[in-house]
Amino acid sequence: EKLPEQMIPSHFILLQALPLTPSGKLDKRSLVQAEGTRASLAVQYVAPETATEEMLSGIWAGVLKIERVGVEDNFFELGGHSLLATQVMARVKEVFGVDVPLRRIFELPTVAALARSVEAEMGMGQGLTSHPIRRLPRDEDLPLSFAQQRLWFLHQLEPDNPFYNMTAAVRLSGSLNKSALERTLSEILRRHEALRTNFVVVNQQPRQVIALAYTLELPVLDISALPATEWEAEVRRHASDEAVKPFDLSRDRLLRASLLRLSDNEHVLLITLHHIIGDGWSVGVLISEVVALYEAFSTGLETPLPELPIQYADYAVWQRQWLQGELLEQQLSYWKQQLAALPQVELPTDRPRPLAQTFRGAVHSIALSAELSEALNALSRREGVTLFMTLLAAFKAQLHRYTAQTDIVVGSPIANRHRNEVKDLIGFFVNTLVLRADLSGNPTFLELLQRVREVALGAYAHQDLPFEKLVEELHPERGLSRQPLFQIAFVLQNAPRTALELPGLSLTLLDVHNQTAKFDLGLEMWESPDGLKARFEYNTDLFDADTIARMAEHFQRLLTEIVASPEQRITELRLLTERERQQQLHEWNQTAQNYPTQTLHQLFECQVEQTPDNIALVFEDEQLTYAELNERANQLAHYLQKLGV
């Protein structure tokens, strides 16, 4: 009756007894432990999708002393009140550099809503978000998006190269309803025009051509006659063959699917699509729709999914219409200033760079412990940054230690899905940001982390400029041996994930690689229930497998040092493993040699006596034997003696 609504307790924690100190007083420190879990809320946990949402979630979790905060959680239902709201907004000002009024958190009490307000204050996505994407007639010429046009051009240069193939292999254990699965995939093809699009030349320009919806039939390869011990090797062989099989963008269906039958209750589904029609986020959309549709179709129900209001071709036209004029100049101005006099990061390689990049590649994977992963997340929350920023700063510190360069440039893909209309579409929306960090002055890791945060926030605020347009405007030095602007990539995969569950089936994703590398070096990381995973993709023309394995060890060691003492300067953080330190100190330092005790001229005289007729010196057209050279030396010594030298 007397308290304002936001101050009324929203949940209670039941204790068998209040914790007491030895003197019988209330032990408040023990009470704090009860606050470390997320309250039971009616709203289901929804993970952050954008960097702004992730940083806000971290701020809320730190202030409210809750393990995690979803983007749809209400601040006051989590136990927040006006005093805590003041702390939150003070941290928002400190982290984002914008002054958002306190009343905003009362008006917009969820992370998702407040994130949009913060982004508006920062000017993120200005211009593009104000113009709606409209569905267009399909009898018009449909241009490619900027990103599609770059991949189309690369395909013209090397049509048989599979480095933009995306392959997934899923093991299906249980009773498989093949007809329901075929109907599921056919419905997804009908829903998403991008999956049935080809790319042809019309009037010397590439254009999208969308085929009519068709029924997809899954070819089945039966390998059940093989012993069970050989299944895994055979599956990986077929998956690898599928991953390197090229597409013809003008004629082929750009999504291929097939089924390997291991036994009546064991199958492997292989799906391959070209990057020009999909991206990492699209894979999540594809999986979520497979789950929803297969569950409905296998029980005789109709599709539960609503029709899509727009398609990828509508987005491509919209992007070209609105990204021009003042908006284009504003974006270009930022990037031209940010990337002026861009350096090349010169990693020490095992072999010289070939004249033309071949894109031959391999991968090396590692897993971080759950304890280290949680420590990295805690450090990120404490410093008001995203996990992506923390890992990127660590990777840049490692590159600095390898190269001694203080201007480190790394490319990183961004989902580019900040418009609601495109979040449920399959298509190639991903954009590439060029993230440049200044490591001069030997900063502490915490200082470097703040520099990386500022660079990332600025890039997010200007993410609407396609990478392809940026390359076109900056006119970097081009060559067949390097990618333009950067040769090292980093990505933290945080696209929404759907549980791999189907009626009567358990699903397991198999790791498949297409044996290519788009860059000299790429580091891909993602979170799992067991902790962070990391995969180094490298160009095998430049690096040996042992070199990359050692690099992965160094990265893991560096992360351990960072969470232990982030206030250390980056050159003081230990990079080498204990084994390498012992190798350097003891094995490589054993340089003692038995040197002769004679003087130099005595050694020369010994050589003259042993091989007087061997050639000792070639000067222009004259050749002298050891004996002749010795005679000349004696004459010179006699002459110098006369001069008193």
Side-chain angles (χ1 to χ4, degrees):
E1 293 176 354
K2 294 183 180 181
L3 286 175
E5 182 180 351
Q6 63 267 23
M7 295 186 69
I8 298 173
S10 57
H11 63 277
F12 296 85
I13 297 175
L14 299 179
L15 302 176
Q16 291 183 348
L18 290 174
L20 301 178
T21 65
S23 61
K25 295 181 180 179
L26 181 65
D27 185 358
K28 293 183 178 180
R29 291 187 179 181
S30 297
L31 281 176
V32 173
Q33 298 175 7
E35 298 176 356
T37 56
R38 171 183 161 87
S40 296
L41 300 175
V43 178
Q44 186 178 5
Y45 173 78
V46 180
E49 292 181 358
T50 67
T52 309
E53 289 178 350
E54 187 176 344
M55 286 191 285
L56 279 178
S57 294
I59 291 172
W60 285 27
V63 171
L64 295 170
K65 295 184 174 61
I66 293 176
E67 185 178 350
R68 66 177 186 174
V69 175
V71 296
E72 298 299 336
D73 294 344
N74 187 294
F75 178 76
F76 301 105
E77 291 179 1
L78 289 173
H81 49 71
S82 57
L83 292 178
L84 293 179
T86 302
Q87 294 180 34
V88 166
M89 301 317 284
R91 289 285 288 142
V92 167
K93 183 176 182 179
E94 177 186 343
V95 169
F96 295 99
V98 294
D99 197 357
V100 181
L102 177 62
R103 70 173 186 276
R104 199 67 57 81
I105 196 170
F106 291 90
E107 299 166 348
L108 307 169
T110 67
V111 168
L114 188 60
R116 289 191 291 269
S117 178
V118 170
E119 289 175 350
E121 293 287 344
M122 297 173 64
M124 294 175 69
Q126 281 186 347
L128 289 186
T129 55
S130 60
H131 302 293
I133 304 176
R134 303 187 186 281
R135 189 171 181 88
L136 301 171
R138 291 299 181 256
D139 55 357
E140 297 182 4
D141 265 357
L142 298 174
L144 281 61
S145 69
F146 291 110
Q148 284 182 325
Q149 187 158 327
R150 177 172 65 93
L151 290 200
W152 179 85
F153 176 74
L154 292 174
H155 182 79
Q156 306 313 302
L157 292 177
E158 296 191 65
D160 295 329
N161 203 319
F163 50 83
Y164 283 107
N165 284 8
M166 301 173 62
T167 299
V170 185
R171 184 161 181 166
L172 311 171
S173 301
S175 179
L176 174 65
N177 186 333
K178 179 174 177 286
S179 61
L181 182 57
E182 288 178 328
R183 186 181 172 192
T184 292
L185 295 174
S186 298
E187 173 62 10
I188 292 173
L189 286 171
R190 185 197 68 79
R191 286 172 52 78
H192 296 275
E193 290 180 351
L195 298 180
R196 41 191 172 90
T197 298
N198 287 105
F199 302 88
V200 301
V201 176
V202 178
N203 297 325
Q204 300 183 334
Q205 293 295 324
R207 288 290 183 263
Q208 297 188 53
V209 176
I210 302 167
L212 296 175
Y214 54 83
T215 300
L216 185 145
E217 295 183 3
L218 281 172
V220 178
L221 178 62
D222 194 334
I223 60 173
S224 60
L226 293 174
T229 54
E230 298 180 17
W231 282 352
E232 183 176 354
E234 188 68 8
V235 166
R236 292 197 178 278
R237 186 181 70 80
H238 282 287
S240 296
D241 290 346
E242 183 62 32
V244 299
K245 186 178 176 183
F247 286 99
D248 183 334
L249 298 186
S250 63
R251 293 183 295 182
D252 292 345
R253 293 179 178 179
L254 301 186
L255 180 144
R256 296 192 296 255
S258 59
L259 203 60
L260 299 179
R261 181 180 179 275
L262 282 62
S263 68
D264 289 342
N265 293 313
E266 293 287 340
H267 297 80
V268 173
L269 175 65
L270 298 178
I271 295 180
T272 303
L273 57 87
H274 195 282
H275 203 352
I276 201 169
I277 63 167
D279 52 22
W281 186 295
S282 298
V283 173
V285 174
L286 177 66
I287 291 173
S288 66
E289 293 199 355
V290 166
V291 170
L293 292 169
Y294 182 87
E295 184 173 358
F297 293 158
S298 61
T299 54
L301 300 176
E302 294 302 312
T303 173
L305 301 176
E307 287 298 310
L308 298 165
I310 62 167
Q311 294 287 337
Y312 185 85
D314 304 312
Y315 163 81
V317 173
W318 168 86
Q319 183 191 48
R320 289 185 174 274
Q321 286 178 344
W322 293 110
L323 195 62
Q324 53 186 314
E326 183 180 348
L327 174 60
L328 178 60
E329 288 305 315
Q330 178 190 11
Q331 297 267 332
L332 278 173
S333 175
Y334 169 83
W335 286 110
K336 285 180 177 179
Q337 181 180 4
Q338 186 71 15
L339 303 181
L342 201 66
Q344 293 178 346
V345 180
E346 299 291 352
L347 280 171
T349 59
D350 294 307
R351 284 172 292 280
R353 183 180 298 278
L355 295 177
Q357 194 173 6
T358 63
F359 302 98
R360 287 190 287 263
V363 295
H364 178 82
S365 300
I366 59 172
L368 306 186
S369 67
E371 293 77 16
L372 177 56
S373 302
E374 177 50 38
L376 289 164
N377 273 298
L379 173 64
S380 304
R381 291 192 296 267
R382 189 166 66 247
E383 296 302 318
V385 299
T386 64
L387 179 61
F388 167 84
M389 295 173 187
T390 300
L391 295 172
L392 175 62
F395 188 42
K396 283 179 177 283
Q398 182 180 12
L399 296 174
H400 165 70
R401 295 283 293 273
Y402 279 13
T403 64
Q405 294 176 243
T406 57
D407 193 353
I408 302 294
V409 181
V410 171
S412 184
I414 188 169
N416 201 27
R417 302 251 186 170
H418 50 276
R419 294 191 61 101
N420 286 329
E421 303 103 309
V422 303
K423 286 189 175 181
D424 296 327
L425 276 181
I426 291 175
F428 185 27
F429 294 93
V430 67
N431 195 15
T432 303
L433 301 180
V434 184
L435 303 176
R436 185 179 190 178
D438 174 19
L439 287 86
S440 61
N442 192 22
T444 67
F445 181 77
L446 292 180
E447 291 170 344
L448 173 61
L449 189 54
Q450 298 311 308
R451 295 181 190 182
V452 169
R453 183 184 71 178
E454 293 306 309
V455 168
L457 289 177
Y460 297 152
H462 299 84
Q463 65 176 284
D464 293 316
L465 184 71
F467 176 75
E468 298 71 29
K469 197 70 176 173
L470 180 62
V471 173
E472 178 185 322
E473 293 290 335
L474 289 180
H475 304 295
E477 183 180 343
R478 305 298 289 267
L480 294 177
S481 66
R482 295 178 184 266
Q483 293 278 22
L485 302 186
F486 66 90
Q487 294 82 46
I488 302 171
F490 174 79
V491 57
L492 175 64
Q493 294 287 5
N494 57 358
R497 294 180 180 271
T498 301
L500 294 177
E501 297 178 1
L502 293 177
L505 290 171
S506 62
L507 281 64
T508 307
L509 279 175
L510 305 178
D511 189 21
V512 180
H513 188 252
N514 62 6
Q515 300 166 20
T516 66
K518 302 179 187 69
F519 305 99
D520 293 355
L521 177 67
L523 173 55
E524 178 187 17
M525 300 190 71
W526 63 95
E527 291 189 90
S528 77
D530 302 324
L532 283 162
K533 311 291 185 186
R535 185 167 80 166
F536 290 79
E537 182 180 86
Y538 60 97
N539 190 307
T540 52
D541 288 334
L542 301 177
F543 298 102
D544 291 331
D546 289 345
T547 300
I548 301 302
R550 189 164 57 250
M551 185 183 294
E553 278 189 275
H554 291 170
F555 184 64
Q556 196 164 0
R557 175 70 191 175
L558 185 62
L559 292 175
T560 303
E561 284 280 298
I562 285 169
V563 298
S565 50
E567 67 284 348
Q568 282 195 83
R569 298 195 177 279
I570 55 177
T571 56
E572 297 169 355
L573 293 165
R574 287 178 57 182
L575 199 66
L576 301 181
T577 63
E578 192 58 37
R579 175 178 54 80
E580 288 176 315
R581 283 172 57 81
Q582 292 300 318
Q583 188 180 48
Q584 284 194 351
L585 289 173
H586 299 290
E587 296 177 29
W588 292 351
N589 214 30
Q590 301 301 318
T591 58
Q593 295 288 338
N594 292 321
Y595 289 99
T597 57
Q598 298 103 313
T599 62
L600 181 61
H601 74 274
Q602 289 173 333
L603 290 171
F604 181 75
E605 287 175 351
C606 290
Q607 188 65 36
V608 171
E609 293 173 358
Q610 291 176 13
T611 58
D613 298 325
N614 284 8
I615 300 298
L617 177 70
V618 177
F619 181 73
E620 293 184 352
D621 295 332
E622 187 178 15
Q623 294 184 351
L624 297 179
T625 65
Y626 277 102
E628 291 168 339
L629 181 59
N630 188 54
E631 178 62 26
R632 295 249 185 129
N634 287 332
Q635 292 173 2
L636 177 61
H638 181 68
Y639 175 71
L640 292 174
Q641 222 172 12
K642 280 188 174 182
L643 295 176
V645 178

